[in-house]
Amino acid sequence: MLTNATSEHGRQLPSDPELAEIFVSGRKHLDELLRHAPTRKEVLARFDKYALDLWAGLHGVYDVAETWLKVVELIAQACLDRPAHLADRDRSRISQPDWFQSPEALGYVAYADQFAGTLQGVASHLDYLGELGVTYLHLMPLLQPRAGENDGGYAVADFRAVREDLGTIDDLAKLADALHQSDISLTLDLVLNHVADQHEWALKARNGEPHYRDYFLMFAEHSIPDAYEKNLPEVFPDFAPGNFTWDETAHCWVWTTFNSWQWDLNWANPDVFYEFINIFSFLANKGVDCFRLDALAFLWKREDTSCQNQPEVHFITQALRAAMRIIAPAVIFQAEAIVAPTELVAYLGVGEHAGKVSDLAYHNSLMVQVWSALASGDAQLMAQALHRSESIPSTTSWVTYLRCHDDIGWAIDDFDAAQVGLNANDYRNYLSSFYSGDLQGSQARGAHFQSHPSTGDRRTSGSAASLAGIQAALENGDESLLVLAIDRLMCGYSMVVGYGGLPLIYMGDEIGLLNDPSYLENPDHANDNRWLHRPKMNWEFAGQRHDPTTLPGRIFPRILELIQARKRLPALHASITCNVVVMPNPAVIAFIRRHPEGNLIEFYNVSGTAQTMPTSSISSLTGPNATVVLNSAALSLASPTITFEPYAVWWLTAEL
Ligand code: GLC
């Protein structure tokens, strides 16, 4: 444990004299290993800053006395391997550590093949990304997956190779360079929880090599899996029920939280930690700027729990984060933890981990609340739920999004629902029925994903445009429904862009791409309807984006206007808290962002009907001299009432 004793570098040392000696010997060892490195001084300075975070992270999980020097050696090697141009990038990022928090930051998420065929193809579309104002590109899984079904690339067979049809690892490094020259950072998935059953570690474990069997969680008898299974939820109850898979060759049960061919790793084994330090470094040294830590919540298993969100997950993340801060300060982490609203903030760090784990985390709760409010036309639940995520470390940021490649799980908290007079179960059911289009009056065209037999929970697949009602309006040839559906989509996107944090545009949403049922023709995709909303980019459609008579031409310019408004507003810096307030009329919600350079007050009518309110309820938030910064309609604070048209969005700046 750490005490107040101070080291020669001004930080706290372990109190146990033996441990303190080991800790200090780490620095000497690093100094020695880096003696010829041009970056030696910088790395040592970073080590002095982050070594205690690294130590505490390791200490929370492993025998730190045994792991310390080994980890220091891996860090030294990674620093020696870091190319000079990336060391330059490290220096410039150190001088602008809030680059991902800035209102200028805008993310775009795409599958390389669906967007542009290959990695080289992606490089040929940088003008399109530039036109949108993208500064951050998340390319969906592109490392070598298993053959056959591979969960959209989340069953990785080789972390050091690129999927053959997309290019090579050199192409990846070249693409990273090209992106950097266009001021775009590159995000890649790093799946920490599992590897493909065809990964060399799994093959060796299956063949009985004890060293590699310890990389996995394998059980000869079913009694231990049975004990765990009592408390484990099922992620894919439809096509991968249960959490363990019998492997005939290994002659044991293997822990497989997701699909039977995705083998969970044993993070209690420090060898797994060492492997990942090497994998992170390898990819960072190719130019990756951000790692999306896939399925992070599941890393640590503990009997009598759901084996999600265990404290060790945060210690492991802290240790990995500190190591990367020493090796490659240009690099950040984005946590993928789609967990209950009460567990979310921990992924950006609370208590001893504040600011020491991931820099970014998906705001799953915001996404759910936006769709929920757009369905019910009532913002009270949203306001209730968002209070939980108001406070995060000021050096971190939410990633905000309306759609992603996954289904929507209706994460409505029971307590929040009760506070606004709803029964959470019934309401979750309502949302999944609404978005599948089962409910009368719903214009949504989604599909049920993974109906859970015992809980009755159902998740939802579908593209943003189809869920917002654009598909139904087009099918019915109904122009007034189409106007409403586009406004609904824009209202949702405006909340995502205006909440604060790093907003992500999911490929195709900017031109209104609809559900794509062609996945049914691919046997590797057919039983997973998340492919419904993973379409190919339609470049012909994108070519119509400046023609206002076309669907893309009715959406793209509005998305652009939103992004450009955001980039001009200092109040959208992610370090500023967003306060959420329901107006006297519960269909209208206000997002309030107070900033020394001027406050930003945003109003959203989440319903499909016009809402009239006393003007005083607006001016009490904005003051008398507000300026409209987003919305074409003029706003007069002089008249006694004000009307918000269906799905109206109003952003106002106000003097302090
Ligand atoms: C993450 C991914 C999802 C995948 C799962 C298992 O949740 O977003 O697509 O199925 O991890 O790797």
Side-chain angles (χ1 to χ4, degrees):
M1 281 292 107
L2 306 177
T3 69
N4 287 330
T6 302
S7 82
E8 56 187 303
H9 305 293
R11 306 283 308 268
Q12 294 172 332
L13 275 174
S15 62
D16 179 315
E18 258 178 63
L19 287 185
E21 202 176 308
I22 294 173
F23 177 78
V24 172
S25 69
R27 188 181 196 280
K28 290 192 187 118
H29 199 38
L30 185 65
D31 194 1
E32 175 64 13
L33 292 168
L34 294 179
R35 63 191 176 282
H36 300 306
T39 54
R40 179 178 150 269
K41 276 197 175 155
E42 298 160 70
V43 175
L44 286 173
R46 302 200 295 259
F47 185 83
D48 291 342
K49 196 161 175 200
Y50 298 113
L52 276 159
D53 292 350
L54 176 62
W55 177 275
L58 291 172
H59 200 31
V61 185
Y62 306 115
D63 178 342
V64 70
E66 268 178 32
T67 49
W68 185 241
L69 290 182
K70 170 81 180 169
V71 171
V72 166
E73 275 165 25
L74 297 178
I75 289 176
Q77 190 55 52
C79 293
L80 290 170
D81 294 344
R82 188 130 177 99
H85 70 284
L86 293 175
D88 282 344
R89 191 164 176 81
D90 290 335
R91 288 175 205 116
S92 70
R93 282 273 145 99
I94 286 174
S95 67
Q96 203 208 340
D98 66 341
W99 61 272
F100 58 91
Q101 297 182 296
S102 152
E104 290 278 335
L106 175 74
Y108 193 81
V109 182
Y111 289 87
D113 51 346
Q114 305 290 65
F115 182 62
T118 61
L119 295 185
Q120 284 184 10
V122 173
S124 69
H125 285 294
L126 297 188
D127 51 344
Y128 181 76
L129 299 178
E131 184 182 336
L132 266 173
V134 170
T135 64
Y136 180 97
L137 178 64
H138 171 197
L139 286 180
M140 296 295 293
L142 51 75
L143 301 177
Q144 185 62 54
R146 77 191 285 279
E149 283 184 276
N150 57 42
D151 188 20
Y154 286 106
V156 178
D158 187 348
F159 290 102
R160 291 182 174 79
V162 165
R163 212 176 89 191
E164 273 156 29
D165 58 318
L166 297 177
T168 63
I169 203 79
D170 288 342
D171 292 334
L172 181 67
K174 280 189 202 134
L175 175 62
D177 280 352
L179 289 167
H180 294 167
Q181 275 161 33
S182 302
D183 289 326
I184 300 177
S185 299
L186 174 63
T187 297
L188 282 201
D189 287 272
L190 197 47
V191 188
L192 300 184
N193 180 65
H194 45 265
V195 296
D197 60 348
Q198 295 168 4
H199 189 285
E200 90 171 287
W201 304 337
L203 296 178
K204 289 181 174 167
R206 184 180 274 137
N207 288 333
E209 285 190 38
H211 177 79
Y212 288 99
R213 280 182 80 105
D214 285 348
Y215 278 35
F216 299 97
L217 299 139
M218 302 176 116
F219 309 93
E221 308 270 318
H222 205 268
S223 53
I224 301 178
D226 277 348
Y228 278 106
E229 198 76 84
K230 280 188 204 130
N231 300 290
L232 291 178
E234 291 176 301
V235 181
F236 297 138
D238 281 5
F239 50 67
N243 288 273
F244 298 86
T245 302
W246 175 255
D247 188 88
E248 196 48 51
T249 316
H251 212 71
C252 61
W253 293 92
V254 184
W255 198 309
T256 54
T257 300
F258 294 88
N259 288 288
S260 56
W261 28 262
Q262 288 167 302
W263 286 20
D264 286 38
L265 288 161
N266 173 18
W267 276 87
N269 177 356
D271 287 332
V272 170
F273 182 87
Y274 304 149
E275 295 276 12
F276 272 93
I277 289 281
N278 285 337
I279 292 167
F280 272 103
S281 310
F282 174 83
L283 293 168
N285 285 346
K286 300 292 169 206
V288 174
D289 297 285
C290 173
F291 290 101
R292 174 188 179 277
L293 309 180
D294 181 73
L296 185 57
F298 297 84
L299 293 200
W300 198 265
K301 325 293 186 196
R302 171 169 285 115
E303 220 175 301
D304 299 324
T305 73
S306 66
C307 297
Q308 286 187 48
N309 311 312
Q310 295 300 303
E312 287 80 356
V313 171
H314 304 302
F315 282 105
I316 293 170
T317 316
Q318 175 169 323
L320 292 168
R321 185 73 196 94
M324 285 315 290
R325 281 187 154 131
I326 299 166
I327 297 165
V331 170
I332 60 168
F333 284 0
Q334 175 178 332
E336 192 257 346
I338 308 303
V339 297
T342 44
E343 303 283 355
L344 257 184
V345 177
Y347 288 86
L348 292 173
V350 293
E352 64 191 305
H353 301 298
K356 296 179 180 174
V357 282
S358 294
D359 307 85
L360 297 167
Y362 285 93
H363 203 326
N364 175 46
S365 183
L366 176 71
M367 182 275 292
V368 166
Q369 292 301 333
V370 169
W371 286 115
S372 154
L374 293 175
S376 67
D378 188 310
Q380 293 176 91
L381 177 61
M382 177 184 239
Q384 163 70 30
L386 290 182
H387 286 312
R388 290 183 193 282
S389 48
E390 273 182 1
S391 189
I392 59 172
S394 61
T395 52
T396 66
S397 169
W398 290 115
V399 163
T400 61
Y401 64 115
L402 190 61
R403 283 304 286 120
C404 70
H405 68 291
D406 277 329
D407 51 287
I408 304 174
W410 298 107
I412 303 288
D413 184 81
D414 290 0
F415 174 80
D416 288 339
Q419 287 298 101
V420 296
L422 295 170
N423 172 296
N425 258 332
D426 294 349
Y427 189 66
R428 285 191 283 265
N429 224 331
Y430 157 77
L431 289 173
S432 64
S433 300
F434 184 94
Y435 280 109
S436 68
D438 291 353
L439 280 190
Q440 225 190 343
S442 163
Q443 300 301 314
R445 291 291 177 268
H448 292 305
F449 180 72
Q450 307 290 326
S451 309
H452 202 292
S454 55
T455 61
D457 267 356
R458 290 172 310 193
R459 286 130 67 183
T460 302
S461 290
S463 80
S466 293
L467 294 180
I470 293 177
Q471 182 176 331
L474 291 172
E475 280 164 6
N476 295 325
D478 188 325
E479 173 59 23
S480 60
L481 280 185
L482 184 59
V483 169
L484 210 57
I486 294 175
D487 287 346
R488 194 182 290 123
L489 176 74
M490 287 312 304
C491 183
Y493 252 105
S494 305
M495 286 192 261
V496 162
V497 172
Y499 183 79
L502 173 61
L504 301 183
I505 295 182
Y506 184 62
M507 188 208 84
D509 286 355
E510 74 279 13
I511 52 169
L513 287 193
L514 306 178
N515 290 342
D516 176 8
S518 68
Y519 75 98
L520 290 166
E521 289 150 31
N522 179 339
D524 289 338
H525 297 168
N527 74 351
D528 185 344
N529 72 18
R530 290 176 298 173
W531 288 96
L532 193 59
H533 52 259
R534 300 171 182 174
K536 264 202 174 357
M537 184 61 171
N538 186 334
W539 287 107
E540 194 189 325
F541 220 44
Q544 300 166 4
R545 65 190 181 278
H546 301 300
D547 176 352
T549 64
T550 64
L551 180 65
R554 291 170 73 173
I555 298 176
F556 188 92
R558 289 177 69 180
I559 294 267
L560 208 56
E561 184 194 9
L562 183 62
I563 292 164
Q564 285 166 355
R566 172 185 150 85
K567 287 187 186 255
R568 289 191 294 268
L569 292 165
L572 281 166
H573 193 281
S575 60
I576 303 295
T577 298
C578 185
N579 297 120
V580 177
V581 177
V582 184
M583 301 305 286
N585 182 334
V588 180
I589 193 160
F591 289 0
I592 302 169
R593 302 185 57 84
R594 297 183 203 286
H595 190 277
E597 289 175 58
N599 297 338
L600 175 66
I601 326 281
E602 309 165 21
F603 297 96
Y604 302 94
N605 174 5
V606 298
S607 79
T609 48
Q611 306 287 336
T612 300
M613 273 185 298
T615 306
S616 58
S617 61
I618 307 288
S619 55
S620 65
L621 293 176
T622 63
N625 297 319
T627 310
V628 178
V629 286
L630 184 77
N631 190 335
S632 44
L635 178 74
S636 163
L637 293 179
S639 49
T641 60
I642 179 162
T643 297
F644 286 82
E645 296 304 322
Y647 302 115
V649 174
W650 242 307
W651 289 8
L652 304 166
T653 49
E655 284 165 20
L656 291 171

